[in-house]
């Protein structure tokens, strides 16, 4: 049975990349089925380090100097080009810790959802983990009684000039996965067909990336489910780490052909074009299975009247 999984890892100046690779591989039940597509945006080329890993033949590695990088969406677009027809697709950040048998867990959840949808997506914001001074990994397992529903932050508004939103997670008591309207780019599991049908838009930057994925997925007939169990954890901020490793931080942005201010504006314009149907002639446009009006009704996010229901 083909249960191969392609893991997309776009890493930016992240010293946790090797940790994440090892955690995913070592914690997988079926290690031979795990394949990685890594775009490493770093001052140091780590190809020799990658080659030294026992599972290096399962890693497709691409190095990019940070001053050549155009942001996370651009990098994840490159990651998608490293896909090689694996059965399943998983996207996480390059600072992720995996539970034992995470691969089996996700596949079981996915197959269960096939009873509800022919094209399910498993996604939400993962719980966090920490690294103590003695390098011990600590995290608190969820209770299993709630699901993390993603909704827009109530303090943010949309208007004609800016349709970009930020989302947060809300605990909802549930005994099963629940339908949602938003995708978490740091934890996304689906059939590998997702890569072919929802290619990453390289003209996006940071904020707006998840909205684009969610809207395009919905209108192309995919269903987003927030899962009952998340078998991996995210390092939200490493203790003592400054925010200098963000793509827009430091002097390096000034060395690029496009600075972050321009990239951010271009991304806002890109999201507007998507929602208003101006990209429909491209592979990055809306789908034909459902309309944007159906998404607005389902999500409660009205991009035409600039209103949001059930923000949190």
């Amino acid at each position: 049975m083909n249960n191969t999984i392609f893991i997309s890892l776009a890493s930016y100046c992240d010293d946790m990349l090797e940790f994440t690779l090892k955690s995913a591989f070592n914690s997988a039940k079926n290690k031979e089925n795990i394949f990685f597509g890594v775009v490493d945006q770093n001052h140091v080329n780590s190809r020799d380090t990658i080659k030294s890993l026992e599972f290096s033949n399962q890693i497709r590695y691409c190095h990019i100097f940070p001053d050549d990088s155009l942001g996370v969406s651009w990098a994840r677009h490159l990651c998608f080009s490293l896909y090689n027809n694996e059965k399943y697709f998983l996207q996480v950040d390059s600072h992720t810790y995996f539970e034992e048998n995470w691969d089996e867990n996700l596949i079981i959840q996915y197959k269960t959802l096939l009873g509800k949808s022919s094209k399910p997506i498993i996604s939400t914001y993962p719980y966090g983990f920490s690294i103590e001074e003695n390098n011990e990994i600590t995290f608190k397992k969820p209770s299993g009684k709630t699901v993390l529903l993603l909704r827009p932050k109530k303090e943010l508004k949309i208007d004609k000039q800016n349709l970009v939103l930020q989302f947060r997670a809300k605990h909802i008591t549930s005994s099963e996965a629940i339908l949602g309207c938003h995708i978490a780019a740091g934890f996304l599991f689906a059939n590998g067909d997702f890569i072919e049908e929802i290619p990453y838009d390289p003209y996006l930057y940071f904020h707006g990336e998840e909205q684009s994925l969610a809207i395009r997925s919905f209108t192309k007939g995919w269903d987003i489910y927030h899962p009952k169990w998340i078998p991996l954890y995210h390092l939200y901020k490493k203790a003592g780490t400054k925010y200098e490793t963000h793509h827009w931080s430091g002097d390096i942005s000034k060395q690029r052909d496009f600075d972050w201010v321009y990239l951010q504006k271009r991304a806002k314009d890109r999201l507007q074009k998507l929602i208003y149907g101006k990209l429909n002639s491209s592979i990055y446009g809306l789908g034909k299975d459902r309309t944007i009006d159906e998404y607005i009704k389902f999500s409660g996010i009205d991009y035409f009247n600039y209103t949001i229901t059930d923000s949190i």
Side-chain angles (χ1 to χ4, degrees):
M1 182 180 295
N2 176 16
N3 280 331
T4 52
I5 300 175
F6 173 76
I7 303 180
S8 171
L9 280 172
S11 176
Y12 184 81
C13 298
D14 192 347
D15 60 5
M16 294 292 290
L17 172 59
E18 184 179 350
F19 168 92
T20 300
L21 288 166
K22 289 180 177 179
S23 180
F25 182 79
N26 292 332
S27 298
K29 181 174 183 178
N30 298 294
K31 296 176 175 57
E32 70 280 2
N33 289 336
I34 309 302
F35 296 87
F36 301 89
V38 177
V39 173
D40 184 16
Q41 304 152 94
N42 208 310
H43 298 285
V44 177
N45 188 326
S46 296
R47 188 173 298 278
D48 289 341
T49 300
I50 296 297
K51 286 183 177 180
S52 71
L53 299 176
E54 62 174 308
F55 54 99
S56 61
N57 63 328
Q58 292 168 244
I59 304 173
R60 301 153 199 158
Y61 178 83
C62 174
H63 173 260
I64 303 288
F65 285 107
D67 46 346
D68 292 325
S69 168
L70 296 181
V72 64
S73 294
W74 177 84
R76 284 174 169 156
H77 172 83
L78 293 181
C79 282
F80 273 29
S81 71
L82 301 175
Y83 170 70
N84 192 33
N85 297 313
E86 284 78 17
K87 173 68 174 178
Y88 299 105
F89 156 64
L90 172 66
Q91 180 170 280
V92 294
D93 288 335
S94 56
H95 31 273
T96 300
Y97 175 76
F98 291 76
E99 286 186 359
E100 288 294 319
N101 301 328
W102 63 267
D103 51 333
E104 181 182 57
N105 179 303
L106 285 176
I107 290 172
I108 289 173
Q109 291 192 70
Y110 175 85
K111 289 182 176 179
T112 299
L113 290 172
L114 286 176
K116 299 180 178 181
S117 169
S118 61
K119 298 165 73 172
I121 298 168
I122 297 174
S123 185
T124 193
Y125 295 146
Y127 291 96
F129 78 95
S130 301
I131 303 176
E132 306 303 326
E133 291 185 1
N134 61 357
N135 289 325
E136 179 185 0
I137 304 297
T138 60
F139 59 90
K140 184 178 180 180
K141 283 194 174 185
S143 66
K145 298 178 181 179
T146 62
V147 172
L148 292 178
L149 174 70
L150 305 185
R151 295 299 302 164
K153 293 182 178 180
K154 63 181 179 181
E155 61 267 26
L156 298 178
K157 308 296 181 183
I158 53 175
D159 56 43
K160 186 176 182 179
Q161 303 304 319
N162 184 18
L163 300 180
V164 175
L165 287 168
Q166 295 179 35
F167 289 68
R168 60 165 53 100
K170 177 182 180 180
H171 287 273
I172 301 293
T173 301
S174 177
S175 60
E176 59 184 6
I178 58 176
L179 271 173
C181 68
H182 192 63
I183 284 177
F187 170 47
L188 193 173
F189 186 80
N191 187 281
D193 291 340
F194 182 93
I195 288 178
E196 303 286 355
E197 291 192 29
I198 320 292
Y200 242 88
D201 190 337
Y203 296 102
L204 293 171
Y205 186 48
F206 187 70
H207 294 306
E209 163 199 10
E210 296 178 335
Q211 286 168 268
S212 171
L213 290 175
I215 293 169
R216 291 163 60 213
S217 297
F218 180 89
T219 58
K220 292 186 179 184
W222 294 75
D223 294 306
I224 304 163
Y225 285 91
H226 302 316
K228 189 74 169 59
W229 194 263
I230 311 165
L232 50 85
Y233 301 83
H234 183 275
L235 187 64
Y236 282 99
K237 187 178 185 302
K238 191 175 179 181
T241 300
K242 297 180 180 180
Y243 286 105
E244 294 175 350
T245 55
H246 283 168
H247 190 270
W248 53 84
S249 299
D251 294 333
I252 196 168
S253 178
K254 300 175 184 178
Q255 302 174 28
R256 299 188 179 109
D257 294 332
F258 303 117
D259 66 20
W260 74 269
V261 175
Y262 169 76
L263 292 172
Q264 181 173 259
K265 181 183 182 303
R266 183 174 73 172
K268 287 182 179 180
D269 293 343
R270 189 72 170 176
L271 185 63
Q272 284 184 328
K273 289 179 180 179
L274 167 68
I275 292 170
Y276 295 151
K278 296 180 180 179
L279 297 180
N280 287 354
S281 61
S282 80
I283 60 174
Y284 305 114
L286 300 172
K288 298 180 180 180
D289 294 279
R290 298 172 180 142
T291 67
I292 186 65
D293 288 331
E294 288 178 289
Y295 178 80
I296 288 171
K297 182 178 180 180
F298 173 69
S299 68
I301 305 170
D302 191 334
Y303 288 107
F304 299 104
N305 294 306
Y306 315 118
T307 60
I308 303 172
T309 57
D310 297 327
S311 57
I312 58 176

